[in-house]
């Protein structure tokens, strides 16, 4: 099971977390977020895919960040339309390296999965996060039973308030037939916004990978 650590902000902490070899590390470009990234990314393993997280950002800004930071995936966390995603996908196709596009949808108790249909075949993954006050990092999980009727074969990433206390529930949902591609963690492993507790992340990774 792939693991993404999102909301990275500080150079030394980025390096420390990268030593755990998560599959993805996320960097948020949204000035209203306490995890807004505005510095340089230190050298990390090429095996770790860097993810740029954007909220309704102009495509030229997204492309600028790709060139600057070498992102391998883009997480769209706003109200990006299908037309936006199609335009972005066509521009990404001209780049020398392929990039994944993830579209985020927020869930509380229920979800209308027909909202996903226009994005099928355009995005590589959906990401389901907790619907709350903030654009991510709200610190609590949504009702995962809402996913039992997921109708698509497009893989998705499970996010929203996931921490050490969710290990048993995670193992249960990972043993279903749902096409879960990765687990995304953030606020439950923070000392402060953007600063991750490396030791707890290591415990999480080791616990999750047992029997998964």
């Amino acid at each position: 099971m792939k693991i993404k650590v999102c909301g990275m902000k500080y150079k030394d902490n980025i390096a420390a977390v990268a030593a755990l070899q998560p599959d993805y590390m996320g960097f948020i470009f949204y000035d209203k977020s306490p995890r807004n990234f505005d510095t340089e990314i230190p050298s990390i393993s090429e095996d770790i895919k860097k993810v740029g997280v954007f909220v309704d950002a102009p495509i030229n800004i997204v492309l600028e960040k790709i060139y600057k930071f070498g992102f391998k995936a883009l997480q769209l966390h706003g109200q990006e339309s299908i037309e936006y995603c199609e335009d972005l996908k066509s521009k990404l196709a001209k780049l020398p390296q392929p990039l994944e596009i993830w579209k985020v949808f927020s869930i509380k108790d229920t979800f209308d999965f027909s909202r996903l249909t226009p994005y099928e075949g355009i995005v590589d993954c959906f990401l389901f996060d907790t619907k709350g006050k903030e654009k991510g990092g709200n610190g609590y999980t949504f009702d995962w039973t809402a996913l039992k009727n997921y109708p698509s074969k497009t893989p998705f990433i499970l996010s929203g308030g996931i921490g050490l206390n969710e290990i048993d529930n995670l193992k249960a949902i990972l043993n279903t037939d749902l096409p879960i591609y990765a687990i995304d963690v953030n606020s439950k492993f923070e000392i402060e916004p953007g600063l991750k507790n490396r030791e707890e992340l290591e415990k999480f990774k080791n616990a999750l990978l047992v029997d998964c």
Side-chain angles (χ1 to χ4, degrees):
M1 175 51 52
K2 296 185 185 301
I3 295 174
K4 170 176 170 271
V5 183
C6 197
M8 302 306 302
K9 189 170 181 178
Y10 302 104
K11 286 185 179 181
D12 289 347
N13 192 231
I14 292 167
V17 171
L20 298 175
Q21 290 290 305
D23 300 280
Y24 294 89
M25 294 180 76
F27 302 86
I28 297 171
F29 296 90
Y30 182 56
D31 58 12
K32 294 181 181 179
S33 170
R35 302 170 185 86
N36 185 54
F37 189 76
D38 58 1
T39 183
E40 298 297 322
I41 301 175
S43 178
I44 62 176
S45 170
E46 288 293 323
D47 293 331
I48 302 172
K49 294 183 178 181
K50 292 177 285 188
V51 184
V53 181
F54 299 92
V55 179
D56 299 314
I59 288 179
N60 66 304
I61 298 298
V62 175
L63 294 173
E64 175 188 306
K65 301 301 184 186
I66 293 171
Y67 288 120
K68 182 174 182 179
F69 295 108
F71 292 128
K72 298 296 179 62
L74 302 175
Q75 180 175 322
L76 306 178
H77 219 299
Q79 301 299 316
E80 295 86 3
S81 66
I82 184 59
E83 292 78 15
Y84 177 101
C85 293
E86 288 174 331
D87 188 16
L88 177 61
K89 188 179 181 72
S90 69
K91 288 180 169 59
L92 295 181
K94 300 174 184 178
L95 300 180
Q97 298 292 330
L99 274 83
E100 302 169 29
I101 300 177
W102 304 346
K103 182 69 186 82
V104 177
F105 292 88
S106 296
I107 299 177
K108 188 175 183 181
D109 300 317
T110 61
F111 185 73
D112 178 8
F113 288 107
S114 68
R115 292 174 56 194
L116 308 179
T117 302
Y119 296 88
E120 296 280 2
I122 303 300
V123 303
D124 298 283
C125 279
F126 297 118
L127 187 151
F128 297 123
D129 195 8
T130 302
K131 187 175 185 179
K133 180 180 178 182
E134 305 296 336
K135 292 284 188 180
N138 286 288
Y140 54 93
T141 59
F142 64 88
D143 184 356
W144 293 350
T145 61
L147 299 172
K148 65 182 180 181
N149 295 319
Y150 182 67
S152 173
K153 293 184 179 179
T154 299
F156 68 83
I157 297 159
L158 187 61
S159 184
I162 296 172
L164 287 168
N165 291 336
E166 282 66 51
I167 290 293
D168 289 343
N169 289 336
L170 278 172
K171 289 184 176 183
I173 196 170
L174 291 174
N175 283 324
T176 68
D177 293 330
L178 290 168
I180 301 174
Y181 176 69
I183 303 299
D184 181 20
V185 299
N186 188 350
S187 60
K188 282 290 188 72
F189 292 93
E190 287 187 326
I191 299 164
E192 63 180 61
L195 183 65
K196 302 301 189 284
N197 186 316
R198 182 193 184 281
E199 290 72 24
E200 291 201 350
L201 281 169
E202 186 172 22
K203 289 178 186 178
F204 178 82
K205 180 180 179 182
N206 292 338
L208 185 64
L209 295 181
V210 173
D211 299 326
C212 285

